[in-house]
Amino acid sequence: MSGLRPLLRSAVLLIAVLGITLGAWPGGAAAGPVNWQEVPESSAGRQWWDTGSLRLSRDGELSVLTRFQPASEDRGQLYVMELDCDLQLYRDTSVNGLPRFGAAWQPTGEDDLIRAVLDQACTAGSELLASR
């Protein structure tokens, strides 16, 4: 059974990436090629965000695909994050392709990685936000 767990995890990640690439992203538009932007590494690990995934969510907030790799692990996780750029808040609406319904808004606090993702993605998505 333990041999199936890595295979299942890989399948979930593949489905998440394919779903985003093929247009299953909220808002209906197909995403372009993945274009990872790494934020400065921290003691917690490494994090990237995808410029091609920036969209407005159904609630009018900025949504972005991110990848986080803890410092102590070789594997990372994929997150779909919604960002409230005005209030500097975020929430993870999907983790490794699994939805997190009712995810609560959180401040970035002392998390340098999430703060950097929020800052960079909000800057890159400023035109989208201006059009809402």
Side-chain angles (χ1 to χ4, degrees):
M1 181 73 171
S2 65
L4 291 177
R5 189 172 295 254
L7 181 60
L8 181 60
R9 183 176 292 146
S10 296
V12 168
L13 288 172
L14 178 61
I15 290 168
V17 171
L18 285 175
I20 291 167
T21 303
L22 296 176
W25 189 267
V34 177
N35 184 14
W36 293 117
Q37 301 297 312
E38 186 171 8
V39 300
E41 189 173 346
S42 80
S43 60
R46 300 172 67 192
Q47 190 149 356
W48 300 260
W49 62 280
D50 172 32
T51 60
S53 70
L54 288 173
R55 302 278 183 272
L56 288 181
S57 71
R58 291 184 181 126
D59 298 329
E61 303 298 344
L62 196 61
S63 181
V64 64
L65 175 66
T66 68
R67 184 176 72 185
F68 171 65
Q69 181 180 345
S72 60
E73 297 179 23
D74 292 334
R75 295 183 197 200
Q77 294 185 320
L78 291 177
Y79 294 83
V80 176
M81 296 173 70
E82 279 188 16
L83 308 174
D84 183 324
C85 297
D86 295 330
L87 297 177
Q88 298 286 291
L89 300 172
Y90 76 99
R91 64 180 171 186
D92 297 325
T93 58
S94 173
V95 180
N96 290 332
L98 301 174
R100 296 186 67 201
F101 299 108
W105 288 103
Q106 304 175 57
T108 58
E110 298 297 317
D111 191 322
D112 294 334
L113 295 172
I114 292 177
R115 188 177 316 116
V117 166
L118 190 138
D119 290 344
Q120 290 181 20
C122 287
T123 298
S126 61
E127 285 186 28
L128 284 172
L129 292 167
S131 70
R132 58 180 170 170

